[in-house]
Amino acid sequence: MKIYIETYGCQMNEYDSEIVRAVIAAADMESTSDIHAADVILLNTCAVREHAARRVIARIHEIHHLRRDAPALIGVLGCMATNLKKNLPKRKKLPIDFVAGPDAYRRLPELIRAATTSDEVPYDIELSDYETYADVYPRREGGINAWLAVMRGCNNFCSYCVVPYSRGRERSRSPQSVVAETQRLVAEGFRQVTLLGQNVNSYRHEDVDFAELLRRVSEVPGVLRVRFISPHPKDFPLHLLKVMAGHPTICKHVHLPLQAGNDRILKLMRRTYSKKHYLDLVEQMRSIIPGLALSTDIIVGFPGESDAEFEDTVDVVQRVRFDSAFIFKYSERPGTLAARKYPDDVPEAVKTERIVRLNEMQRQISTEIFSAQIGAVQDILVERQGTKKSAQQSQGRNDANIMVILNSATQVPGTMVRARIHDATAHVLKGKALDD
Ligand code: 5AD
Ligand code: SF4
């Protein structure tokens, strides 16, 4: 059996696909990167916005068509799986053969076998309060960065968000298992570990909180950089900021989802902080961690968001001056609190206007922030020799996770080089290694 897997959505899904590859290998099934050669085609899906879900549906039909002369089994994994149950009887409209939710990957070989022998659509979309796959060592593709999920699920129930429904409740794996995996990663040549969780800083295992976990991982010999995504602003105690400030291997970068800047909208979103809270937190972070880079997620056009309320978001973006921002139009997700209570009443044209305005503003800010780095000397963790544009360059990232193009190909992936920045755009920096 040859299995092909395609991944949509966030880094947690990337990681889960690596878990799936490990489960498949343990069942003596082979992975292939050739969709035409596959007996089984897995789509690891995202449900966070309607657009993501629609893309997957279109892709299922496309694959079905592509393999019409030699049909393969098509399986749906991940966040869309959970919602498919209701629609299974209508499967004639959607040519899928089995479904496995985010907590059912251990049963994949069984589901695949069942799908080969049955006309039914076998599925397991049960969500677990315990599954962390802590004992499954993911099949990573190599490289410099390794994803490592330390917690799964979410208890926040932000009103717009499908994740608590698609991925279930929060659960954390033991710090011992995280540290042991980090040690193994270093031995295999990985140099950066990115801790993952839907609310990564809500991590708690017995008396170990996220700050303590981060400290332990950052002290594993051979780890050059530790990152984490995505945190929630509600879980940034002072001692976490101090751990970040005091450990050189922990990157001085926080992705701090804002979502909205207006208190009424934040309340309807159930975000548990106000505009002032958020701004105060940013100030506190910057005073404890000098030079901290900040990025964010923003949703425009939440139900009922007025022009004046949107201006509060604009105001926060102007005041904080994020290094980068991902901005989304509100997308109603079936089953969420917002979908049940608040009509999606901001016209599409208004959402577009708002997203365009914020994107332009952010582009300007990013360009200014990056241009100000020209002349600075930064530590670049080299990722590869050669870039899309030239074999005579190498590519890496600075501490803030910004891509830096180095103007020689002599740098070795996995090493940290000091480089002087000499050029900047809104998305990349260019530099020259000091010893080049
Ligand atoms: N509509 C638009 N954006 C959303 N996000 C989550 N749910 C929705 C939704 N229903 C965004 C949030 C989150 C990011 C991963 O996706 O900004 O931080
Ligand atoms: Fe998409 Fe959220 Fe699931 Fe990640 S956790 S794949 S962003 S729905």
Side-chain angles (χ1 to χ4, degrees):
M1 277 259 193
K2 285 193 182 149
I3 321 272
Y4 167 90
I5 176 162
E6 214 165 82
T7 309
Y8 296 81
C10 63
Q11 290 83 358
M12 188 62 106
N13 262 17
E14 295 285 339
Y15 176 83
D16 279 359
S17 288
E18 294 168 349
I19 294 275
V20 165
R21 283 194 191 95
V23 170
I24 285 168
D28 287 329
M29 294 175 177
E30 208 183 308
S31 288
T32 174
S33 54
D34 178 2
I35 193 166
H36 298 279
D39 305 299
V40 181
I41 297 170
L42 302 175
L43 297 178
N44 195 359
T45 64
C46 174
V48 75
R49 283 171 291 275
E50 196 189 347
H51 175 74
R54 266 217 220 120
R55 251 181 82 202
V56 170
I57 303 283
R59 183 64 179 148
I60 292 170
H61 288 292
E62 191 178 275
I63 290 171
H64 186 64
H65 185 69
L66 189 77
R67 294 291 305 262
R68 68 191 177 282
D69 296 330
L73 291 176
I74 301 179
V76 173
L77 318 181
C79 294
M80 272 174 75
T82 322
N83 293 329
L84 276 176
K85 188 180 172 191
K86 297 189 245 13
N87 301 324
L88 279 182
K90 287 190 254 161
R91 71 179 183 274
K92 284 201 188 80
K93 287 195 188 141
L94 192 64
I96 55 176
D97 300 285
F98 59 95
V99 178
D103 290 338
Y105 298 148
R106 289 178 200 268
R107 286 197 57 216
L108 255 183
E110 197 186 315
L111 290 165
I112 292 173
R113 273 183 228 113
T116 53
T117 55
S118 146
D119 287 340
E120 304 283 298
V121 176
Y123 65 89
D124 184 346
I125 54 171
E126 193 96 12
L127 293 170
S128 160
D129 287 343
Y130 308 101
E131 181 62 273
T132 61
Y133 300 108
D135 58 323
V136 179
Y137 190 70
R139 283 226 162 180
R140 298 177 172 91
E141 281 182 352
I144 302 308
N145 174 69
W147 310 116
L148 205 175
V150 300
M151 57 86 69
R152 300 173 71 88
C154 177
N155 290 350
N156 284 341
F157 288 92
C158 297
S159 65
Y160 51 81
C161 187
V162 76
V163 170
Y165 308 93
S166 61
R167 285 190 168 268
R169 293 298 72 73
E170 273 176 30
R171 62 226 103 121
S172 298
R173 58 189 271 192
S174 77
Q176 291 79 12
S177 77
V178 174
V179 168
E181 187 158 335
T182 306
Q183 288 162 338
R184 188 167 164 186
L185 287 168
V186 171
E188 285 178 5
F190 290 95
R191 290 292 169 260
Q192 172 175 293
V193 174
T194 305
L195 306 182
L196 298 180
Q198 264 79 32
N199 284 291
V200 70
N201 54 338
S202 307
Y203 174 94
R204 175 164 282 277
H205 190 274
E206 292 162 5
D207 55 354
V208 175
D209 68 357
F210 184 66
E212 173 60 12
L213 180 79
L214 193 58
R215 187 188 65 73
R216 291 190 196 179
V217 172
S218 73
E219 289 174 1
V220 170
V223 172
L224 297 183
R225 276 184 178 162
V226 183
R227 302 183 183 282
F228 56 90
I229 41 174
S230 272
H232 190 293
K234 77 180 166 69
D235 286 316
F236 268 104
L238 186 60
H239 68 280
L240 170 54
L241 301 180
K242 287 190 171 157
V243 165
M244 288 187 68
H247 289 75
T249 55
I250 303 174
C251 291
K252 309 297 177 266
H253 170 218
V254 173
H255 182 71
L256 194 67
L258 166 68
Q259 312 302 4
N262 175 266
D263 289 351
R264 188 184 77 92
I265 298 296
L266 284 168
K267 201 159 192 178
L268 294 181
M269 287 179 159
R270 293 174 47 107
R271 286 296 287 174
T272 70
Y273 52 84
S274 63
K275 177 180 178 183
K276 179 168 187 315
H277 265 114
Y278 188 94
L279 290 171
D280 288 350
L281 176 61
V282 166
E283 198 178 297
Q284 187 193 29
M285 284 178 161
R286 283 181 166 159
S287 72
I288 294 171
I289 312 169
L292 179 72
L294 284 170
S295 54
T296 199
D297 289 343
I298 291 170
I299 299 175
V300 299
F302 185 84
E305 185 185 61
S306 69
D307 287 341
E309 286 166 338
F310 171 66
E311 290 306 321
D312 275 323
T313 304
V314 173
D315 187 46
V316 175
V317 169
Q318 262 161 351
R319 285 194 203 204
V320 174
R321 293 177 62 79
F322 297 102
D323 294 61
S324 63
F326 299 96
I327 304 161
F328 310 101
K329 292 179 185 175
Y330 172 72
S331 167
E332 186 177 277
R333 304 315 291 133
T336 58
L337 186 71
R340 281 178 273 138
K341 276 179 80 172
Y342 316 121
D344 182 9
D345 57 1
V346 175
E348 185 60 25
V350 174
K351 288 181 185 171
T352 302
E353 219 171 84
R354 290 179 188 171
I355 201 172
V356 166
R357 178 150 161 235
L358 277 183
N359 273 326
E360 273 171 9
M361 233 173 86
Q362 184 56 48
R363 192 184 165 79
Q364 174 78 26
I365 294 170
S366 296
T367 308
E368 284 165 15
I369 290 177
F370 294 172
S371 302
Q373 294 175 28
I374 292 176
V377 172
Q378 301 185 342
D379 288 326
I380 313 301
L381 180 55
V382 180
E383 286 175 1
R384 60 180 202 177
Q385 287 169 318
T387 61
K388 268 188 228 145
K389 284 201 182 136
S390 162
Q392 306 311 317
Q393 298 176 325
S394 23
Q395 181 177 314
R397 283 174 189 273
N398 69 9
D399 193 87
N401 211 24
I402 302 304
M403 192 189 291
V404 181
I405 307 291
L406 298 170
N407 62 352
S408 100
T410 55
Q411 306 306 333
V412 181
T415 58
M416 195 80 95
V417 301
R418 288 185 74 67
R420 190 177 300 280
I421 304 302
H422 60 72
D423 203 0
T425 70
H427 300 288
V428 279
L429 297 172
K430 288 182 183 164
K432 183 175 184 303
L434 293 189
D435 60 4
D436 234 3

